[in-house]
Amino acid sequence: MELDTIIHATQSAVARNDWKTASGIVNALPYPDIASVLGHLSAEAALQLLRRCQHDKQSIIFGYMAPRIQSEMAQLMSRSELTALFEKMEHDERADLYNRLSEEERQSILPGLAHAEREDIRTLASYKEGTIGSIMTSAYVSLHDDLTVAQALERIRLEAPDAETIYQIYIVDKQRHLKGTVSLRELMLANPNAVLRDIMVTDVLHARADEDQSEAANQIARYDLLALPIVDDKQRIVGIVTHDDALDVSREESTEDQMRLGAVSTIGSGLNISLKDASIAVLYRMRVFWLVILVFGNIFSGAGIAHFEELIESMVALVFFLPLLVDSGGNAGSQSATLMVRALATGDVRARDWFSMLGKEITVALLLGLSMAAAVSIIGFYRGGPDIALVVALTMIVIVIVGSVIGMSLPFLLTRFKLDPASASAPLITSICDGVGVLIYFNIANILLEMPAV
């Protein structure tokens, strides 16, 4: 049965107050699907159904739910119910939920938690949003380097139920400095009497808790890690970032880049809110800033056209090709910018590579311009004769080259000034290329058609 059908059936059962049927439907689903179904209900109905799930499943299902739904449901829970949920949630997920609670709600649940759990929540919740610390978990297994393999395996058995992953074990000294790592596979194959310091790998990939979260995601993706250990400024291990959290970060970063490429503001926009759930006010704030800025940017295109009024009056056929030509420059620039932003984001290209990339981009743009010029010259010949055909063909070549260079250079320029290269958005580049394209087009026409200068 498709998920949409299941959602509709659940909603119908809830509308009839048939909680037994609704509960039977959702309890037969995988955890992520249960969370999705509950997300399509009111917070009250979702909480009713969550309570009808097995107790050991509730925290897992709750962790898959959207932050907005989590916050709404948390406000409806009793103090004891919310405290019990906190105790069973994944460490990083409960820290995120803690940050979304009001101060009154925080103070109501903390006394019901064990001291270690309170300190764990406070520590994880203290890291600044967007840093690695804000996405890491403290549910990992660490062992002292003087243990034998047999002792280590026994300790792992005890700690495994509370750990998010046990496939990689982190070796620390008594001050919790990260000294090495050993995989569970290596422990299983090692001599039971061997000491951990003798079999551990000492060259450990790691990241700092105060670094940008994308650094952890990049390392995990590049080296195919299940988890990345995170240390503080004194090289003491404070947590790990798992591959699923890194995937969430990559998805968030990709969404943010796509928004910037579309000239949609991400400041205060609520990236965790789905488009369907976003209010009109949020959608308005996300889009209005750049649109207003680009309105004034497009004035330059109008000023360029006004400057060549006499040329246009004497050769009306030129107007037919104006949108075609300037849009081609904007399209070429947007393509170049998209490729370059992606290359810079993945580390495939560095800021120092601009000069070598410039030569390649000009060559590609020239070939593209020649191909497009061949097509448009035929239309130019039909509409205005050989002179117009020559003007539009030459303009097409120049505009595509200039647009491509602008599109590939803006991300480099922004990177040079420590700004987000994704801010070189498609609408911004299109607006710049439009103004430049108008000037290129009419100046070429002015020269080749031997019109008097204006």
Side-chain angles (χ1 to χ4, degrees):
M1 189 183 300
E2 292 186 359
L3 190 59
D4 287 344
T5 304
I6 294 172
I7 292 171
H8 179 71
T10 307
Q11 290 172 332
S12 298
V14 169
R16 300 191 307 268
N17 284 324
D18 187 357
W19 296 104
K20 182 178 180 180
T21 299
S23 177
I25 293 173
V26 299
N27 275 299
L29 300 174
Y31 298 141
D33 290 344
I34 296 176
S36 181
V37 171
L38 297 186
H40 285 79
L41 304 174
S42 67
E44 293 83 357
L47 182 56
Q48 287 285 345
L49 285 179
L50 184 66
R51 287 168 174 163
R52 285 171 166 78
C53 296
Q54 295 179 13
H55 285 290
D56 57 342
K57 291 182 179 180
Q58 291 179 8
S59 61
I60 302 174
I61 296 167
F62 192 80
Y64 279 110
M65 301 186 75
R68 177 183 63 83
I69 303 297
Q70 286 184 344
S71 299
E72 291 178 1
M73 291 175 65
Q75 293 174 2
L76 299 173
M77 293 180 185
S78 65
R79 173 180 172 179
S80 59
E81 189 175 21
L82 188 57
T83 301
L85 192 68
F86 259 78
E87 289 176 341
K88 297 176 183 177
M89 288 180 69
E90 298 290 352
H91 293 214
D92 52 337
E93 291 176 354
R94 71 185 182 188
D96 291 338
L97 177 58
Y98 178 82
N99 278 332
R100 292 194 297 271
L101 297 177
S102 66
E103 186 60 32
E104 182 181 350
E105 290 169 330
R106 294 177 185 177
Q107 295 306 319
S108 70
I109 63 168
L110 287 179
L113 298 172
H115 175 74
E117 291 176 329
R118 290 201 303 270
E119 293 306 309
D120 178 67
I121 291 172
R122 286 196 179 107
T123 300
L124 293 179
S126 67
Y127 288 100
K128 184 179 177 182
E129 187 69 24
T131 63
I132 294 177
S134 68
I135 62 168
M136 72 182 182
T137 178
S138 55
Y140 60 93
V141 177
S142 63
L143 301 174
H144 289 152
D145 57 3
D146 57 355
L147 294 177
T148 65
V149 169
Q151 292 172 327
L153 289 172
E154 185 60 33
R155 186 72 61 82
I156 292 170
R157 290 189 186 95
L158 296 175
E159 297 189 19
D162 297 322
E164 189 157 336
T165 177
I166 61 170
Y167 299 111
Q168 204 68 31
I169 314 301
Y170 303 100
I171 313 303
V172 298
D173 61 17
K174 301 208 183 300
Q175 288 75 42
R176 299 201 58 77
H177 295 115
L178 181 62
K179 308 302 291 185
T181 182
V182 62
S183 70
L184 183 60
R185 175 188 175 88
E186 290 168 334
L187 287 176
M188 297 291 291
L189 297 175
N191 186 319
N193 296 319
V195 179
L196 292 184
R197 71 167 65 94
D198 297 329
I199 64 172
M200 68 183 183
V201 176
T202 56
D203 186 14
V204 185
L205 290 167
H206 63 276
R208 287 259 304 262
D210 55 0
E211 289 183 291
D212 190 273
Q213 60 185 12
S214 61
E215 177 62 26
N218 290 339
Q219 284 202 46
I220 289 174
R222 179 168 185 171
Y223 298 105
D224 293 326
L225 304 176
L226 288 175
L228 179 72
I230 310 302
V231 300
D232 61 13
D233 55 356
K234 295 181 180 178
Q235 289 297 109
R236 295 175 300 197
I237 187 169
V238 291
I240 63 171
V241 173
T242 55
H243 66 284
D244 55 329
D245 291 322
L247 180 61
D248 290 339
V249 170
S250 297
R251 187 183 297 115
E252 181 182 318
E253 295 281 336
S254 177
T255 299
E256 192 171 325
D257 285 349
Q258 288 176 35
M259 285 186 169
R260 288 201 176 105
L261 282 171
V264 177
S265 174
T266 59
I267 300 175
S269 60
L271 285 177
N272 290 325
I273 300 176
S274 70
L275 188 62
K276 183 183 70 174
D277 295 330
S279 66
I280 292 175
V282 167
L283 294 175
Y284 171 79
R285 289 199 305 270
M286 290 169 66
R287 299 171 64 179
V288 66
F289 175 77
W290 275 109
L291 285 179
V292 172
I293 294 297
L294 295 176
V295 163
F296 290 99
N298 288 328
I299 290 176
F300 292 102
S301 298
I305 295 173
H307 182 71
F308 291 97
E309 280 183 358
E310 291 185 18
L311 174 62
I312 295 171
E313 289 174 1
S314 62
M315 193 66 67
V316 178
L318 293 173
V319 179
F320 175 83
F321 296 96
L322 180 59
L324 183 152
L325 293 169
V326 297
D327 285 352
S328 296
N331 291 338
S334 297
Q335 283 186 336
S336 297
T338 300
L339 293 172
M340 214 51 61
V341 167
R342 178 61 181 164
L344 287 167
T346 59
D348 185 42
V349 171
R350 305 288 183 183
R352 61 177 178 269
D353 298 323
W354 177 81
F355 189 77
S356 62
M357 293 302 300
L358 178 63
K360 183 181 293 186
E361 185 64 29
I362 290 176
T363 303
V364 172
L366 176 61
L367 295 173
L368 292 172
L370 288 170
S371 301
M372 297 166 73
V376 79
S377 62
I378 298 173
I379 304 174
F381 186 85
Y382 174 77
R383 294 283 302 186
D387 291 341
I388 295 295
L390 178 60
V391 169
V392 296
L394 184 57
T395 302
M396 178 64 81
I397 296 171
V398 176
I399 280 181
V400 170
I401 293 175
V402 171
S404 297
V405 170
I406 291 173
M408 67 87 62
S409 297
L410 269 180
F412 278 106
L413 185 63
L414 292 169
T415 301
R416 178 69 178 81
F417 288 100
K418 309 298 183 184
L419 299 173
D420 191 339
S423 297
S425 60
L428 175 61
I429 290 172
T430 299
S431 296
I432 295 173
C433 290
D434 282 353
V436 174
V438 167
L439 296 178
I440 291 173
Y441 180 33
F442 288 122
N443 273 295
I444 289 177
N446 219 18
I447 294 171
L448 296 183
L449 300 178
E450 299 181 351
M451 301 298 296
V454 178

PDB file of all heavy atoms in Angstrom, residues 376-391:
ATOM      1  N   VAL A 376      21.553  31.284 -34.693  1.00  0.00           N
ATOM      2  CA  VAL A 376      20.857  32.575 -34.673  1.00  0.00           C
ATOM      3  C   VAL A 376      21.124  33.386 -35.938  1.00  0.00           C
ATOM      4  O   VAL A 376      20.312  34.238 -36.325  1.00  0.00           O
ATOM      5  CB  VAL A 376      21.263  33.356 -33.401  1.00  0.00           C
ATOM      6  CG1 VAL A 376      22.639  34.010 -33.554  1.00  0.00           C
ATOM      7  CG2 VAL A 376      20.236  34.424 -33.072  1.00  0.00           C
ATOM      8  N   SER A 377      22.259  33.139 -36.598  1.00  0.00           N
ATOM      9  CA  SER A 377      22.568  33.909 -37.812  1.00  0.00           C
ATOM     10  C   SER A 377      21.576  33.591 -38.929  1.00  0.00           C
ATOM     11  O   SER A 377      21.270  34.451 -39.765  1.00  0.00           O
ATOM     12  CB  SER A 377      23.990  33.619 -38.282  1.00  0.00           C
ATOM     13  OG  SER A 377      24.135  32.236 -38.624  1.00  0.00           O
ATOM     14  N   ILE A 378      21.075  32.376 -38.942  1.00  0.00           N
ATOM     15  CA  ILE A 378      20.087  32.007 -39.961  1.00  0.00           C
ATOM     16  C   ILE A 378      18.817  32.836 -39.774  1.00  0.00           C
ATOM     17  O   ILE A 378      18.249  33.378 -40.734  1.00  0.00           O
ATOM     18  CB  ILE A 378      19.766  30.499 -39.866  1.00  0.00           C
ATOM     19  CG1 ILE A 378      21.021  29.672 -40.142  1.00  0.00           C
ATOM     20  CG2 ILE A 378      18.646  30.117 -40.822  1.00  0.00           C
ATOM     21  CD1 ILE A 378      20.841  28.186 -39.904  1.00  0.00           C
ATOM     22  N   ILE A 379      18.399  32.961 -38.503  1.00  0.00           N
ATOM     23  CA  ILE A 379      17.212  33.785 -38.213  1.00  0.00           C
ATOM     24  C   ILE A 379      17.500  35.245 -38.522  1.00  0.00           C
ATOM     25  O   ILE A 379      16.654  35.973 -39.057  1.00  0.00           O
ATOM     26  CB  ILE A 379      16.803  33.622 -36.736  1.00  0.00           C
ATOM     27  CG1 ILE A 379      16.568  32.150 -36.413  1.00  0.00           C
ATOM     28  CG2 ILE A 379      15.546  34.438 -36.432  1.00  0.00           C
ATOM     29  CD1 ILE A 379      16.303  31.872 -34.953  1.00  0.00           C
ATOM     30  N   GLY A 380      18.723  35.698 -38.220  1.00  0.00           N
ATOM     31  CA  GLY A 380      19.099  37.080 -38.492  1.00  0.00           C
ATOM     32  C   GLY A 380      19.077  37.404 -39.976  1.00  0.00           C
ATOM     33  O   GLY A 380      18.627  38.480 -40.383  1.00  0.00           O
ATOM     34  N   PHE A 381      19.547  36.468 -40.767  1.00  0.00           N
ATOM     35  CA  PHE A 381      19.538  36.664 -42.222  1.00  0.00           C
ATOM     36  C   PHE A 381      18.099  36.755 -42.740  1.00  0.00           C
ATOM     37  O   PHE A 381      17.776  37.591 -43.590  1.00  0.00           O
ATOM     38  CB  PHE A 381      20.276  35.504 -42.901  1.00  0.00           C
ATOM     39  CG  PHE A 381      20.447  35.683 -44.381  1.00  0.00           C
ATOM     40  CD1 PHE A 381      21.517  36.417 -44.877  1.00  0.00           C
ATOM     41  CD2 PHE A 381      19.542  35.142 -45.279  1.00  0.00           C
ATOM     42  CE1 PHE A 381      21.678  36.599 -46.254  1.00  0.00           C
ATOM     43  CE2 PHE A 381      19.685  35.316 -46.640  1.00  0.00           C
ATOM     44  CZ  PHE A 381      20.760  36.058 -47.143  1.00  0.00           C
ATOM     45  N   TYR A 382      17.242  35.922 -42.193  1.00  0.00           N
ATOM     46  CA  TYR A 382      15.846  35.924 -42.636  1.00  0.00           C
ATOM     47  C   TYR A 382      15.130  37.199 -42.212  1.00  0.00           C
ATOM     48  O   TYR A 382      14.340  37.760 -42.969  1.00  0.00           O
ATOM     49  CB  TYR A 382      15.139  34.695 -42.048  1.00  0.00           C
ATOM     50  CG  TYR A 382      13.655  34.665 -42.307  1.00  0.00           C
ATOM     51  CD1 TYR A 382      13.145  34.312 -43.552  1.00  0.00           C
ATOM     52  CD2 TYR A 382      12.758  34.986 -41.284  1.00  0.00           C
ATOM     53  CE1 TYR A 382      11.774  34.281 -43.783  1.00  0.00           C
ATOM     54  CE2 TYR A 382      11.388  34.961 -41.503  1.00  0.00           C
ATOM     55  CZ  TYR A 382      10.902  34.608 -42.757  1.00  0.00           C
ATOM     56  OH  TYR A 382       9.545  34.589 -42.985  1.00  0.00           O
ATOM     57  N   ARG A 383      15.442  37.687 -40.993  1.00  0.00           N
ATOM     58  CA  ARG A 383      14.725  38.856 -40.461  1.00  0.00           C
ATOM     59  C   ARG A 383      15.278  40.186 -40.969  1.00  0.00           C
ATOM     60  O   ARG A 383      14.535  41.159 -41.115  1.00  0.00           O
ATOM     61  CB  ARG A 383      14.794  38.858 -38.932  1.00  0.00           C
ATOM     62  CG  ARG A 383      14.073  37.732 -38.254  1.00  0.00           C
ATOM     63  CD  ARG A 383      12.581  37.936 -38.221  1.00  0.00           C
ATOM     64  NE  ARG A 383      12.191  39.176 -37.555  1.00  0.00           N
ATOM     65  CZ  ARG A 383      10.946  39.535 -37.299  1.00  0.00           C
ATOM     66  NH1 ARG A 383       9.947  38.728 -37.670  1.00  0.00           N
ATOM     67  NH2 ARG A 383      10.670  40.670 -36.708  1.00  0.00           N
ATOM     68  N   GLY A 384      16.586  40.275 -41.224  1.00  0.00           N
ATOM     69  CA  GLY A 384      17.134  41.595 -41.552  1.00  0.00           C
ATOM     70  C   GLY A 384      18.250  41.598 -42.566  1.00  0.00           C
ATOM     71  O   GLY A 384      18.875  42.647 -42.785  1.00  0.00           O
ATOM     72  N   GLY A 385      18.580  40.452 -43.124  1.00  0.00           N
ATOM     73  CA  GLY A 385      19.625  40.410 -44.125  1.00  0.00           C
ATOM     74  C   GLY A 385      20.977  40.065 -43.548  1.00  0.00           C
ATOM     75  O   GLY A 385      21.134  39.822 -42.347  1.00  0.00           O
ATOM     76  N   PRO A 386      22.010  40.080 -44.400  1.00  0.00           N
ATOM     77  CA  PRO A 386      23.349  39.649 -43.977  1.00  0.00           C
ATOM     78  C   PRO A 386      23.958  40.535 -42.887  1.00  0.00           C
ATOM     79  O   PRO A 386      24.705  40.045 -42.045  1.00  0.00           O
ATOM     80  CB  PRO A 386      24.167  39.704 -45.261  1.00  0.00           C
ATOM     81  CG  PRO A 386      23.406  40.609 -46.176  1.00  0.00           C
ATOM     82  CD  PRO A 386      21.976  40.427 -45.837  1.00  0.00           C
ATOM     83  N   ASP A 387      23.686  41.854 -42.912  1.00  0.00           N
ATOM     84  CA  ASP A 387      24.263  42.737 -41.897  1.00  0.00           C
ATOM     85  C   ASP A 387      23.750  42.389 -40.504  1.00  0.00           C
ATOM     86  O   ASP A 387      24.533  42.304 -39.535  1.00  0.00           O
ATOM     87  CB  ASP A 387      23.926  44.198 -42.218  1.00  0.00           C
ATOM     88  CG  ASP A 387      24.649  44.700 -43.462  1.00  0.00           C
ATOM     89  OD1 ASP A 387      25.653  44.055 -43.844  1.00  0.00           O
ATOM     90  OD2 ASP A 387      24.211  45.703 -44.047  1.00  0.00           O
ATOM     91  N   ILE A 388      22.447  42.204 -40.395  1.00  0.00           N
ATOM     92  CA  ILE A 388      21.856  41.830 -39.098  1.00  0.00           C
ATOM     93  C   ILE A 388      22.353  40.458 -38.674  1.00  0.00           C
ATOM     94  O   ILE A 388      22.653  40.220 -37.499  1.00  0.00           O
ATOM     95  CB  ILE A 388      20.316  41.847 -39.177  1.00  0.00           C
ATOM     96  CG1 ILE A 388      19.802  43.265 -39.431  1.00  0.00           C
ATOM     97  CG2 ILE A 388      19.710  41.290 -37.880  1.00  0.00           C
ATOM     98  CD1 ILE A 388      20.086  44.238 -38.317  1.00  0.00           C
ATOM     99  N   ALA A 389      22.481  39.538 -39.637  1.00  0.00           N
ATOM    100  CA  ALA A 389      22.970  38.195 -39.318  1.00  0.00           C
ATOM    101  C   ALA A 389      24.370  38.251 -38.728  1.00  0.00           C
ATOM    102  O   ALA A 389      24.683  37.546 -37.759  1.00  0.00           O
ATOM    103  CB  ALA A 389      22.952  37.323 -40.567  1.00  0.00           C
ATOM    104  N   LEU A 390      25.212  39.101 -39.308  1.00  0.00           N
ATOM    105  CA  LEU A 390      26.577  39.245 -38.794  1.00  0.00           C
ATOM    106  C   LEU A 390      26.578  39.843 -37.394  1.00  0.00           C
ATOM    107  O   LEU A 390      27.323  39.386 -36.509  1.00  0.00           O
ATOM    108  CB  LEU A 390      27.398  40.130 -39.742  1.00  0.00           C
ATOM    109  CG  LEU A 390      28.849  40.406 -39.316  1.00  0.00           C
ATOM    110  CD1 LEU A 390      29.632  39.098 -39.205  1.00  0.00           C
ATOM    111  CD2 LEU A 390      29.524  41.368 -40.291  1.00  0.00           C
ATOM    112  N   VAL A 391      25.739  40.851 -37.186  1.00  0.00           N
ATOM    113  CA  VAL A 391      25.671  41.508 -35.871  1.00  0.00           C
ATOM    114  C   VAL A 391      25.247  40.515 -34.792  1.00  0.00           C
ATOM    115  O   VAL A 391      25.879  40.404 -33.730  1.00  0.00           O
ATOM    116  CB  VAL A 391      24.703  42.712 -35.908  1.00  0.00           C
ATOM    117  CG1 VAL A 391      24.424  43.215 -34.482  1.00  0.00           C
ATOM    118  CG2 VAL A 391      25.278  43.836 -36.739  1.00  0.00           C
TER     119      VAL A 391
END
